[in-house]
Amino acid sequence: MGKDVIIACDFDSKEAVFGFLDKFTEEKPFVKIGMELYYAEGPAIVREIKARGHRIFLDLKLHDIPNTVRKSMAVLSRLDVDMCNLHAAGTAAMMQAALEGLTREDGTRPMLIAVTQLTSTDQERMQNELLINAPIDRVVMHYAENAARAGLDGVVCSPLEAEKVHSACGKDFVTVTPGIRFADGDVGDQVRVTTPARAKEIGSDYIVVGRPITAAPDPVAAYRRCVSEFID
Ligand code: C5P
């Protein structure tokens, strides 16, 4: 398992994403394709980006009955993505079905990562709307442990939680961490942010970086700065 920087390609069209990726003439960054781009352009965009030599984290956050998730994951696996995800709230049965669906005939499969509680859900909403009464930190860790027990490879979490996740679920259980900003950069709408260098110290395995790279005046330089802070 390698430490890497994943660029969140939050674009709404093929033209916009290729305009961005064309700037990378020397390296082939690992990219995250989310719902916006996938729903705009369909599976063809995944095949095209893959054909250009990028590794892909397909961030579609599946959450449905186990049978539907199993069959949908089989389709995503055939797209040859490297990482995909689901909501741990779908239960262990759904997570195990997802793993079955993802596993190809030769036994290989993309990495499967769980979303625990979305960072947009706070304690109050979780209690009032979802009727979950445990403290949110406990819920996040419990979902991570469920995902580990179901055989998943890791979770999406804050870099600030990476250490705790590793101690509860094992050091090989992968932490994929958004909320990354340069020390001298704009925070935007993220609340708790961490620099790439700090994420490395705390033990994140993959950092997901969007606007600090995509909105930078020189995205390639910003990507290289992330790599040098986080990996080198
Ligand atoms: O532009 P920025 O670096 O904030 O992008 C972060 C990416 O990570 C976005 O694609 C966002 O949807 C995603 N993400 C996040 N926080 C989470 C889960 C996913 O920022 N808890």
Side-chain angles (χ1 to χ4, degrees):
M1 170 202 56
K3 295 222 165 217
D4 215 336
V5 174
I6 302 178
I7 305 180
C9 285
D10 293 323
F11 298 104
D12 63 2
S13 72
K14 179 175 163 167
E15 292 70 31
V17 72
F18 286 145
F20 171 74
L21 291 177
D22 283 346
K23 298 183 201 296
F24 292 83
T25 52
E26 285 174 35
E27 46 274 275
K28 291 284 180 198
F30 200 142
V31 301
K32 178 169 90 69
I33 299 177
M35 290 187 237
E36 185 184 10
L37 185 60
Y38 189 81
Y39 292 151
E41 299 289 351
I45 195 72
V46 176
R47 291 192 196 95
E48 286 179 55
I49 294 177
K50 189 77 197 175
R52 287 173 167 232
H54 296 272
R55 279 162 300 147
I56 296 178
F57 170 19
L58 189 56
D59 178 17
L60 298 181
K61 299 187 181 71
L62 275 68
H63 188 174
D64 207 320
I65 60 170
N67 187 52
T68 301
V69 170
R70 179 189 297 107
K71 293 196 295 186
S72 305
M73 285 293 188
V75 173
L76 300 185
S77 185
R78 289 199 291 276
L79 283 177
D80 202 20
V81 296
D82 299 276
M83 187 186 283
C84 52
N85 62 359
L86 47 63
H87 277 280
T91 76
M94 190 200 79
M95 293 193 266
Q96 283 155 5
L99 282 173
E100 285 167 22
L102 276 183
T103 305
R104 304 180 185 108
E105 265 180 22
D106 63 1
T108 64
R109 63 166 174 81
M111 291 176 74
L112 183 59
I113 303 295
V115 174
T116 57
Q117 279 292 343
L118 292 171
T119 44
S120 50
T121 307
D122 60 14
Q123 184 77 40
E124 198 186 332
R125 289 191 178 102
M126 197 183 69
Q127 275 174 353
N128 296 345
E129 296 179 36
L130 308 180
L131 296 183
I132 298 172
N133 284 314
I136 195 158
D137 296 357
R138 180 70 207 109
V139 174
V140 166
M141 289 308 300
H142 185 64
Y143 283 20
E145 286 163 0
N146 287 349
R149 272 195 293 269
L152 269 69
D153 302 294
V155 283
V156 179
C157 64
S158 158
L160 303 165
E161 292 159 355
E163 205 170 357
K164 236 170 130 186
V165 168
H166 282 139
S167 51
C169 305
K171 68 174 175 30
D172 293 336
F173 192 66
V174 166
T175 52
V176 179
T177 65
I180 303 294
R181 292 293 179 268
F182 292 121
D184 51 3
D186 270 351
V187 171
D189 57 358
Q190 293 282 11
V191 180
R192 295 188 307 155
V193 297
T194 309
T195 63
R198 182 76 188 120
K200 176 186 181 178
E201 281 169 19
I202 319 175
S204 291
D205 297 297
Y206 294 87
I207 52 172
V208 176
V209 189
R211 289 159 293 176
I213 296 175
T214 55
D218 183 345
V220 176
Y223 172 71
R224 287 181 183 157
R225 181 175 172 193
C226 277
V227 170
S228 72
E229 281 193 28
F230 184 63
I231 304 173
D232 298 344

